[in-house]
Amino acid sequence: MESKELVNLAAQACDEKRANDIVVLDMSDVSLIADYFLICEGSNERQVQAIARELKNQADEQGIDVKRMEGFDQARWILVDLNGVVCHIFHKDERHYYNLERLWGDASTVHIEGIEG
């Protein structure tokens, strides 16, 4: 699956669990880490875990290998590595503190059909 399709799948999975403020950054011109960053937030730890769990489940259903998942137990910032797409699922307080959108401000924002950021 291409990275563009993968980031769409990830955004839809996050949206299904009512993730807030979903933002996709095109990292291809600014970093070698990934093609895309998906950044979203949940309003509490349980929702943050539910978003990450749904993302993993949908990836598994599509036969996509989740390379790594970090921070699930604490549920303040869960990182899900889908190879070309790195998903950052934040608790709302942590998201504003780390402000990855500003840190990676040179990356362009990508619109995902059906998702309101």
Side-chain angles (χ1 to χ4, degrees):
M1 182 178 284
E2 295 289 322
S3 292
K4 181 71 173 170
E5 294 173 289
L6 187 53
V7 77
N8 279 300
L9 175 84
Q12 296 297 333
C14 293
D15 190 53
E16 285 181 22
K17 290 299 177 180
R18 298 184 175 265
N20 298 318
D21 198 14
I22 299 170
V23 174
V24 174
L25 301 177
D26 183 345
M27 302 300 290
S28 59
D29 292 334
V30 295
S31 175
L32 299 174
I33 297 170
D35 295 330
Y36 297 97
F37 275 4
L38 181 145
I39 305 166
C40 66
E41 67 186 55
S43 55
N44 58 54
E45 287 86 355
R46 186 174 295 181
Q47 184 186 18
V48 171
Q49 287 178 330
I51 295 166
R53 194 175 298 114
E54 180 68 17
L55 183 55
K56 182 182 182 325
N57 290 344
Q58 292 218 13
D60 288 345
E61 285 176 16
Q62 296 293 321
I64 299 161
D65 185 38
V66 176
K67 289 181 66 176
R68 194 168 192 92
M69 184 183 289
E70 301 274 341
F72 187 83
D73 292 336
Q74 296 82 13
R76 301 299 291 180
W77 177 0
I78 301 176
L79 185 136
V80 182
D81 186 349
L82 300 172
N83 201 13
V85 177
V86 176
C87 304
H88 301 270
I89 307 163
F90 284 99
H91 185 283
K92 64 180 178 183
D93 298 334
E94 305 301 318
R95 181 171 186 178
H96 299 292
Y97 178 79
Y98 289 104
N99 199 356
L100 291 185
E101 293 96 324
R102 197 183 95 180
L103 180 66
W104 293 101
D106 292 342
S108 59
T109 303
V110 177
H111 175 74
I112 303 293
E113 192 68 35
I115 303 293
E116 293 187 30

